[in-house]
Each structure stands twice: as structure tokens, then as C-alpha cells.
Amino acid sequence: LETLDEAPDTAVFLNLFPEHMDHHGSVDAYYAAKARIVHNQCARDMLVYNADDARVAALARESLATVQAFAPVPAPVRDALTLPGEHNVSNVRAAWTVAAHYGVTPDAAARAVATFTPLPHRLARVATISGVTFYDDAIATTPESVIAALRALGDVDTLIVGGQDRGYDYAALNAVLAECGVRAVVQLPDTGVRVTPPPGAAVLQTTNLDEAVRFALSHTRPGHSCLFSPGAPSYNLWKNFAARGEAFTTAVHKAQDDH
């Protein structure tokens, strides 16, 4: 978008929060790059947008295109969604709105929602060991993504967090850790130390995911979860988010074999 002078016939704007600061240099520059998808549209185009995000809603008011806020989905469709969390409901609403615009019937859209298989490393359940369920959310590269994952699961005792430092603000995440009842935090370099555990929480600083998984098994209650959601890019330890997700999955399966 930063260098693009065209726009798609239909653009979808999900949300807007700081990312890629190492490239853009400032939040304002990043937001300006994202805004180009709106500013390059014309009257024959359509913008589907998240009215619950104030910044996105403000950009929609600037658009020359036809604008449409995410439509609600029927309760049975929402109930059939296998992906946890309100952020995934929002994603379904976006897709539902676009599908309707292009003539997809509600029945066909409902079948797609009910049968959808997510891509790996997106709040993916890896295994349950001794009553502890491990989730791989390696794609999470921002604090906001971790917050969404914590709220989606609702039973996280242990959080494994940390990655390449892009200068993100972790204050909101730190507040949510206590709100969500997190009892243990594994701090990976470089940003893990900027995630402040709630009072009394157990803490481990490590670069070793085998050690992290063992720690999680020791500090997570049966019936609760361990969430691997780094909240930062992967490049300080792995080549990309998929590689770190595979490393975490391998560590969990190794622990499963040991049990």
C-alpha cells in the first residue's frame, strides 16, 4: 500500500494498530501507508470496514467509495464458528459482508463458516498433556494480537511471549495479564522482559522452547491452557513466524511423548 497508486474494487479494512515500526519509522507513517487503500478508491469501488475501530471508521468517512460496515451474522452461523474469540467473529462478519456483496447466498456462506479450516499457527490447539492444553499462536507479532488470544481462550495460566524488539508499547498487554488471571510467564528475548507478570506469577527467562514447555507443565493447572503468543516478530531467533510455530509444536509433542 505504501507505494500503490491503485485500489481493489472491494477493499476490507479490519483494524489499525502499530506494526512494522522498524520500516515506517513512526506510527503516523504506518497509518498513512494503510490509509492509501481508502484514499486510492473511487466512486465505483466499495469499502467494507470495521465500525468498531474508531480510526478505521474515521477513514471510511473520507472514502469516495461506497462504504459498508461489517454486517452481523445470524446467531446459528456465529455458534457454528470453530475459531475462538471476538476477533474471529469480526473477521467472519467482514467476509460475510463481502460475500453478500458478490451474490453469495446466506446458506452457502453459512456452510463455508461451519467447514472453515484455519491456517497453522493461529491459535491452533497443539495437544493436551496431563490436562494442560497448548496453543500455538506464533503468528502473533503485536501486543494487540496477544490480548485477543488471551481473551479468546479465557483460561490461560501460562503465557510464552517475546521476540524481536520493534519498539511496541506493552502497557495494555501487561494490564490484561492480570485481568485474565495469568499465573506464569515465559519471557523469550528480546521483548519478553518488557511483559510484566502479574504479582505473584512465576517467571522463566529462556531461549529454549523445550524448557518453556516443561515450565508450563509445572505451572499450568489441569483444565487450563498454555499459550505461545509472542507478541513480536520472530527474526531474532527464527527465520519467520512459521518456523517458531513449528519449533513450539515440536517441543510440545516431545513433552507429550515423554509423558
Side-chain angles (χ1 to χ4, degrees), residues 82-99:
T82 58
L83 302 172
E86 287 301 313
H87 63 296
N88 279 315
V89 174
S90 180
N91 289 341
V92 169
R93 289 176 60 202
W96 187 273
T97 306
V98 175

Side-chain angles (χ1 to χ4, degrees), residues 121 126-127 129 136 209-210 213 228 238 242-258:
H121 314 303
V126 179
I129 307 171
D136 167 16
L209 289 180
D210 290 331
V213 169
F228 179 52
W238 292 280
R244 72 178 171 190
E246 291 301 325
F248 176 70
T249 299
T250 298
V252 172
H253 287 154
K254 179 179 178 181
Q256 188 176 34
D257 292 341
D258 291 342

Side-chain angles (χ1 to χ4, degrees), residues 81-155:
L81 179 62
T82 58
L83 302 172
E86 287 301 313
H87 63 296
N88 279 315
V89 174
S90 180
N91 289 341
V92 169
R93 289 176 60 202
W96 187 273
T97 306
V98 175
H101 173 65
Y102 282 101
V104 178
T105 66
D107 285 347
R111 287 194 299 272
V113 172
T115 59
F116 178 73
T117 300
L119 294 170
H121 314 303
R122 293 156 172 82
L123 268 187
R125 182 187 171 279
V126 179
T128 299
I129 307 171
S130 300
V132 176
T133 302
F134 290 83
Y135 286 91
D136 167 16
D137 194 38
I139 198 172
T141 58
T142 66
E144 291 82 0
S145 300
V146 184
I147 291 171
L150 287 167
R151 288 177 171 162
L153 295 179
D155 66 349

Side-chain angles (χ1 to χ4, degrees), residues 129-130 132-134 156-161 177 182-188 192 195 197-198 200-222 224-228 248 251-252 254-256 258-259:
I129 307 171
S130 300
V132 176
T133 302
F134 290 83
V156 175
D157 268 3
T158 302
L159 172 67
I160 304 174
V161 66
L177 291 183
V182 172
R183 297 157 57 96
V185 176
V186 177
Q187 298 172 325
L188 303 175
V195 177
V203 181
L204 171 68
Q205 294 181 1
T206 185
T207 61
N208 187 305
L209 289 180
D210 290 331
E211 184 180 11
V213 169
R214 291 194 298 269
F215 176 85
L217 283 170
S218 299
H219 292 86
T220 308
R221 294 167 294 175
H224 291 73
S225 299
C226 168
L227 171 65
F228 179 52
F248 176 70
V252 172
K254 179 179 178 181
Q256 188 176 34
D258 291 342
H259 278 68

Side-chain angles (χ1 to χ4, degrees), residues 13 47 49-63 67:
F13 214 136
L47 173 67
Y49 73 99
N50 182 1
D52 295 329
D53 187 306
R55 290 180 293 256
V56 172
L59 284 171
R61 290 192 290 271
E62 300 175 8
S63 177
V67 297

